[in-house]
Amino acid sequence: MFGKKKVKPLKIGLVGLGKIAVDQHIPSIRANPALELVAGCSPNARPDGVTAYDSLEDMLAAHPEIEAVAICTPPQIRHKIARQVIAAGKHVFLEKPPAATLGEAEAIADLARAKGVTVLASWHSRYAPAVETTREWIAGRKIKSIHVVWKENVRQWHPGQKWIFEAGGMGVFDPGINSLSILTRIVPEKVIVKKADLHIPVNCEAPIQVEMDLTTESGVAIRADYDFLQTGIQTWSIFVESEKGEKLELSMGGTGLSIDGKEIMKEKEAEYPGLYAHFEKLVRASQSDADFSPLRIVADAMLLGKRIDAPEYIE
Amino acid sequence: MFGKKKVKPLKIGLVGLGKIAVDQHIPSIRANPALELVAGCSPNARPDGVTAYDSLEDMLAAHPEIEAVAICTPPQIRHKIARQVIAAGKHVFLEKPPAATLGEAEAIADLARAKGVTVLASWHSRYAPAVETTREWIAGRKIKSIHVVWKENVRQWHPGQKWIFEAGGMGVFDPGINSLSILTRIVPEKVIVKKADLHIPVNCEAPIQVEMDLTTESGVAIRADYDFLQTGIQTWSIFVESEKGEKLELSMGGTGLSIDGKEIMKEKEAEYPGLYAHFEKLVRASQSDADFSPLRIVADAMLLGKRIDAPEYIE
């Protein structure tokens, strides 16, 4: 009688059973006793041990007990699926980016609000281990400048992802939006794009390299350099300098942290368990987390960016 | 004792004294007895009969009685000026588009909210005479489809406006955003971009021609065709068809209206007086009107649009 009240686990269905579902979503849900993976759906993928259906309709019909749905499809179809999920009265977990456009993302948030269900626009990089420490470090200081350096080899990390260079595929912003999700978390003010150089291969439609100047409302200068053709050392770092000259480096996508050259943290990546814990809390509290600012920054960069021809890209 | 209480006119200062200020803002303010034009500022323009200063600082220092400022500069510097105006505790009237990016526009709205001043993101085409009648017509019907046709000759209407084809200049979306401001007013739901073909001259950075597919949340198909090289008949029309086959045409940028081929309205353009009456009401009610959806649609079109080479453009 005096024991802790046992809460039934939140019953989850997955839409899309590809690489990100298998690598991250399925193990993260299974590792969290407050969650239960009921089933998944995909037109073809059949991962081991998951009750799988051909379509969302089939999955929901077979499992009316599903309370929440995580959408792990490509972004182009997320809006359509989210509409069906919300119409069925289920909570929604959106992989990043939340939708193909800001308009779609806002429409999903509006629908969820109207139906009274939770929506999480997830940004996995915000759950990297050193992000919160960096946020607190910045909060305690006057900041002089920030430099984002996100340089990776598209051939190594995105083989066969042809859509990434198509219209709407975002190009180097596909990984780059992760850095923007961290940036908009660690900086307490709004981040505004002032200038962007978009290098677009002559045979592609999305940028392969980008240099951006941004600023905060109070005038902190932010520079961001993205390169999708980086060979040798790969870099996913954010450098912050305070007005007193203190220097912080958040490295390896948020798993490493050094301050004034001294290593403070070097941990294994563990983002999705944190994301799912956040989602479960939101649902229990009947709240949503629908921050679209990283996508807004990419849209603004595409709106005012200068397009520069880059050499042909051949995978 | 029983007479109407006389309200002192709202004291207005202008930033930017170019063509739009002279043609529209100055006469509209002067024609409205609830408003008073105190002064203006510009680095060089000196329109007749306006007390003018070189800078915003000089104008505000000389006229601390100014209560509201209308910003009629090019969009690239509106954010910076709006920050100063809001910091001085004045209400803000923003010409369209409200800023160069969504991030800047949202930052202005945030600042105004924090300071407790009114901000109006003005969209003059929404005050065209036939827009409200169109909105009511749509509200009373099930709509099948909408077609926006905005075709004008850039050489005739925008001579010397070189910036329009530069990065961030928006190209044909500079006039096209007017159609989007009408569309987002007459359609009761959110409007979402699904596809855009952006024809960009090989020597320019902004589109000269655009075809877009859009949709409303409930699935009404919207097509939008923009052409900046239209010779002969110029077209600024929105065609609406109901599910019952009724047809409405809002023409000439919102001054003409016909339903099922019958002319209902054909009026002279008178947008800015309506805009200023709206602004005065907002200030008196301590409210703001900061709808950025037309700019969001352009940003989304640039985010997912397919870029197509168009022939060189020579003014």
Side-chain angles (χ1 to χ4, degrees):
Chain A
M1 274 184 78
F2 296 95
K4 209 174 167 187
K5 195 182 163 195
K6 206 170 172 184
V7 178
K8 279 190 190 169
L10 182 72
K11 292 184 170 56
I12 298 184
L14 286 181
V15 185
L17 296 168
K19 188 170 160 50
I20 192 76
V22 171
D23 289 355
Q24 301 288 355
H25 290 258
I26 295 172
S28 299
I29 295 168
R30 290 205 165 129
N32 187 335
L35 305 174
E36 181 188 333
L37 180 60
V38 174
C41 62
S42 163
N44 33 50
R46 290 289 174 269
D48 279 352
V50 177
T51 311
Y53 297 84
D54 287 345
S55 70
L56 173 63
E57 292 79 357
D58 290 352
M59 179 177 80
L60 293 182
H63 298 280
E65 74 273 24
I66 287 175
E67 297 164 274
V69 172
I71 305 178
C72 321
T73 65
Q76 289 84 343
I77 53 170
R78 256 173 229 156
H79 172 229
K80 195 182 159 204
I81 294 168
R83 286 183 63 179
Q84 296 174 261
V85 168
I86 293 168
K90 318 289 183 189
H91 308 290
V92 187
F93 179 122
L94 299 166
E95 245 302 336
K96 68 98 200 172
T101 63
L102 282 167
E104 287 185 350
E106 287 172 11
I108 294 171
D110 285 355
L111 287 173
R113 200 177 302 119
K115 191 79 180 181
V117 298
T118 290
V119 61
L120 169 62
S122 83
W123 299 105
H124 62 81
S125 291
R126 289 184 176 173
Y127 290 83
V131 168
E132 280 312 292
T133 310
T134 302
R135 193 181 65 77
E136 286 159 20
W137 191 88
I138 288 175
R141 279 164 185 79
K142 288 209 167 187
I143 300 303
K144 187 181 159 194
S145 64
I146 298 176
H147 189 184
V148 176
V149 184
W150 225 252
K151 297 189 171 185
E152 65 181 59
N153 185 347
V154 61
R155 292 185 175 89
Q156 180 181 347
W157 301 99
H158 307 270
Q161 287 181 272
K162 209 172 155 276
W163 58 267
I164 226 167
F165 285 117
E166 287 167 6
M170 295 199 192
V172 72
F173 280 127
D174 176 76
I177 205 169
N178 293 329
S179 75
L180 296 171
S181 74
I182 296 177
L183 186 68
T184 48
R185 174 68 188 154
I186 60 177
V187 171
E189 297 175 282
K190 268 216 164 70
V191 172
I192 301 166
V193 184
K194 300 308 283 186
K195 187 174 179 290
D197 283 346
L198 312 169
H199 303 264
I200 303 175
V202 290
N203 62 333
C204 298
E205 287 165 44
I208 200 158
Q209 212 183 317
V210 173
E211 297 98 38
M212 274 207 290
D213 290 328
L214 309 103
T215 181
T216 67
E217 192 51 50
S218 66
V220 175
I222 303 170
R223 167 80 179 182
D225 291 313
Y226 301 103
D227 189 350
F228 229 167
L229 293 172
Q230 178 77 359
T231 51
I233 295 171
Q234 308 280 294
T235 308
W236 299 278
S237 288
I238 298 180
F239 300 87
V240 188
E241 189 172 343
S242 77
E243 286 199 348
K244 285 187 179 161
E246 301 153 296
K247 289 179 184 181
L248 175 147
E249 180 184 357
L250 180 69
S251 59
M252 296 311 293
T255 55
L257 180 67
S258 70
I259 294 174
D260 296 326
K262 196 183 148 208
E263 187 172 275
I264 302 289
M265 206 184 277
K266 192 174 179 175
E267 292 199 12
K268 275 187 69 176
E269 178 272 311
E271 299 172 355
Y272 280 77
L275 260 179
Y276 268 100
H278 179 49
F279 182 58
E280 199 256 344
K281 255 191 225 157
L282 287 171
V283 171
R284 300 293 181 205
S286 298
Q287 290 175 345
S288 283
D289 178 354
D291 173 20
F292 305 130
S293 57
L295 185 60
R296 193 257 299 147
I297 292 174
V298 176
D300 279 346
M302 299 296 278
L303 179 64
L304 63 62
K306 190 176 167 68
R307 285 165 182 81
I308 298 163
D309 278 352
E312 195 177 15
Y313 171 72
I314 295 151
E315 192 184 331
Chain B
M1 273 185 77
F2 297 92
K4 208 174 167 187
K5 196 182 162 196
K6 205 170 172 186
V7 179
K8 281 190 188 169
L10 182 73
K11 293 183 170 58
I12 298 184
L14 286 180
V15 185
L17 297 168
K19 188 168 160 52
I20 192 76
V22 171
D23 289 354
Q24 301 288 356
H25 291 258
I26 294 171
S28 299
I29 295 169
R30 290 209 165 126
N32 187 335
L35 305 174
E36 181 188 333
L37 179 61
V38 175
C41 61
S42 162
N44 32 51
R46 289 289 174 271
D48 280 352
V50 178
T51 309
Y53 297 85
D54 288 345
S55 70
L56 174 63
E57 292 79 357
D58 290 353
M59 179 177 81
L60 292 182
H63 298 279
E65 73 273 23
I66 288 174
E67 297 164 274
V69 172
I71 305 178
C72 322
T73 66
Q76 289 83 343
I77 54 170
R78 255 172 230 157
H79 173 228
K80 196 184 156 201
I81 293 167
R83 286 183 64 180
Q84 295 175 263
V85 168
I86 293 167
K90 319 290 184 189
H91 307 289
V92 187
F93 179 123
L94 299 166
E95 247 300 337
K96 68 102 203 169
T101 63
L102 283 168
E104 287 185 351
E106 287 173 12
I108 293 171
D110 285 355
L111 287 172
R113 201 177 302 119
K115 190 79 180 183
V117 298
T118 290
V119 61
L120 169 62
S122 82
W123 299 105
H124 62 82
S125 292
R126 288 185 177 173
Y127 290 84
V131 169
E132 281 311 294
T133 310
T134 302
R135 192 181 66 77
E136 286 157 20
W137 190 88
I138 288 175
R141 278 161 186 81
K142 287 208 168 190
I143 300 304
K144 186 180 160 196
S145 64
I146 298 177
H147 189 184
V148 176
V149 184
W150 225 252
K151 297 188 171 185
E152 65 181 58
N153 185 347
V154 60
R155 292 183 175 89
Q156 179 181 347
W157 301 99
H158 307 270
Q161 287 182 274
K162 211 174 154 273
W163 56 269
I164 227 167
F165 285 118
E166 288 168 5
M170 294 197 194
V172 72
F173 280 127
D174 176 77
I177 204 168
N178 293 330
S179 75
L180 296 172
S181 74
I182 296 176
L183 185 69
T184 48
R185 173 69 189 155
I186 60 178
V187 171
E189 298 175 281
K190 267 214 164 72
V191 173
I192 300 166
V193 184
K194 300 309 283 185
K195 188 174 178 291
D197 283 346
L198 313 168
H199 302 263
I200 302 175
V202 290
N203 63 334
C204 296
E205 288 165 42
I208 199 157
Q209 213 183 319
V210 173
E211 298 99 36
M212 276 206 290
D213 290 329
L214 308 101
T215 181
T216 66
E217 191 53 48
S218 65
V220 175
I222 304 169
R223 167 79 179 182
D225 290 313
Y226 301 103
D227 189 349
F228 228 166
L229 293 172
Q230 179 77 0
T231 51
I233 295 172
Q234 308 280 294
T235 308
W236 299 276
S237 288
I238 298 180
F239 301 88
V240 187
E241 188 172 345
S242 77
E243 286 198 348
K244 285 187 179 160
E246 302 154 294
K247 288 179 184 184
L248 176 146
E249 180 184 357
L250 180 68
S251 60
M252 297 311 293
T255 56
L257 179 67
S258 71
I259 294 174
D260 295 327
K262 194 182 148 209
E263 186 171 277
I264 303 289
M265 205 185 279
K266 192 174 178 177
E267 293 201 10
K268 273 187 68 176
E269 178 274 311
E271 300 172 354
Y272 279 77
L275 259 180
Y276 267 99
H278 179 48
F279 182 58
E280 199 255 343
K281 254 192 225 160
L282 287 172
V283 170
R284 301 292 182 207
S286 298
Q287 289 175 345
S288 284
D289 178 355
D291 173 20
F292 305 130
S293 57
L295 185 59
R296 194 257 298 148
I297 292 174
V298 176
D300 278 346
M302 298 296 277
L303 179 65
L304 61 63
K306 190 176 165 68
R307 285 166 181 80
I308 298 163
D309 278 352
E312 194 176 15
Y313 171 71
I314 295 152
E315 193 183 333

